[in-house]
Amino acid sequence: MTENKQVTYKHLKKGQKISGIKSANSSSGFTAYVKEVNPAFVTVEMWNPGGREERINSDAMFLIELMDEEIREKYNEKAKDVVQNIQTVMLRDEIGCHEMYNAWLSSDPWELTQACISQKLSILGHCRDIIPKKAMFTGDKLDAGVCVEDEDGDRFWCHFRSGDIQVLVRRYERYQEWKAKRAGNIDDILSDVPIEIEVEQQ
């Protein structure tokens, strides 16, 4: 789950990865690592640490990736609707046509919300009355159809694992609990959820 934000040279640290720059008249995407920062220019190593050095004028805005916690904070409010909606049980004749491309679906509620916003999709619910299929790479049984609506009001559905719906809901709940207390490492707490779901289902 990646997304960039713009920062000035003052926010850069040595060794930090940048994904490009934006200046008054242009923008450029690339991967580089900060070697030195001063008010005149930023020296970066292109493509890899230790790579070819270039100087970038400090007037530019630098693109850096949001941290996972920043993404969770950014999408948390809208993720609430996504989590609620995906739990809605729908009938087979309500979910529209089957769409093969389902790589955008995720058991991470913030990543799923991010994908919905970027692709202008609204999740309406899920249906179990579909023909399941086996995932190509993992061999998982995809036994639910997640129904979405695009910006034109057209509905379609994609294969998804019903267990991942449980994971998505539990992760969102755990994050809200963590936000209230701020106790423990949130990444560890969220990564434990799939294991817990699997144990429950055995």
Side-chain angles (χ1 to χ4, degrees):
M1 147 170 99
T2 61
E3 185 172 324
N4 291 326
K5 66 178 178 179
Q6 298 180 39
V7 300
T8 67
Y9 77 94
K10 295 178 182 178
H11 296 87
L12 298 177
K13 297 175 184 173
K14 187 174 180 179
Q16 186 171 20
K17 177 183 173 184
I18 64 172
S19 303
I21 57 169
K22 286 194 175 183
S23 54
N25 300 319
S26 63
S27 63
S28 178
F30 54 83
T31 299
Y33 295 83
V34 177
K35 183 175 182 182
E36 182 186 343
V37 179
N38 66 51
F41 55 82
V42 175
T43 303
V44 298
E45 297 170 331
M46 297 299 293
W47 310 115
N48 298 296
R52 173 177 49 87
E53 289 187 17
E54 279 196 20
R55 287 183 173 180
I56 301 171
N57 191 307
S58 292
D59 290 340
M61 296 297 290
F62 296 83
L63 302 178
I64 62 170
E65 288 184 5
L66 290 172
M67 304 295 285
D68 287 346
E69 182 54 25
E70 290 176 305
I71 289 180
R72 286 190 283 259
E73 281 293 327
K74 179 175 180 179
Y75 292 103
N76 194 53
E77 191 59 39
K78 291 183 178 172
K80 181 179 180 181
D81 293 333
V82 170
V83 171
Q84 287 177 340
N85 292 348
I86 202 169
Q87 296 177 77
T88 302
V89 177
M90 302 180 71
L91 300 174
R92 177 64 187 87
D93 60 359
E94 296 178 310
I95 61 175
C97 300
H98 179 219
E99 168 60 52
M100 292 293 290
Y101 177 67
N102 67 345
W104 62 276
L105 285 169
S106 171
S107 61
D108 181 311
W110 307 279
E111 187 174 58
L112 181 57
T113 302
Q114 183 185 38
C116 287
I117 290 171
S118 68
Q119 298 184 46
K120 298 180 180 175
L121 300 174
S122 299
I123 291 183
L124 303 180
H126 77 277
C127 177
R128 296 290 297 273
D129 185 22
I130 60 160
I131 298 172
K133 78 170 188 177
K134 189 176 282 190
M136 187 180 299
F137 299 111
T138 63
D140 289 338
K141 184 180 180 183
L142 305 178
D143 56 348
V146 173
C147 174
V148 296
E149 189 173 79
D150 65 20
E151 60 183 332
D152 297 321
D154 295 323
R155 291 184 180 188
F156 62 89
W157 65 272
C158 302
H159 275 100
F160 198 49
R161 199 169 77 102
S162 58
D164 285 338
I165 295 174
Q166 291 177 266
V167 170
L168 180 136
V169 172
R170 189 81 58 85
R171 279 180 171 156
Y172 187 78
E173 292 170 347
R174 287 286 169 81
Y175 182 66
Q176 307 321 306
E177 293 167 5
W178 177 83
K179 276 186 69 175
K181 299 175 185 174
R182 301 279 173 175
N185 183 313
I186 187 57
D187 293 319
D188 292 341
I189 292 167
L190 296 178
S191 64
D192 282 345
V193 171
I195 298 165
E196 292 171 0
I197 298 289
E198 292 295 339
V199 170
E200 286 175 7
Q201 293 176 343
Q202 285 177 1

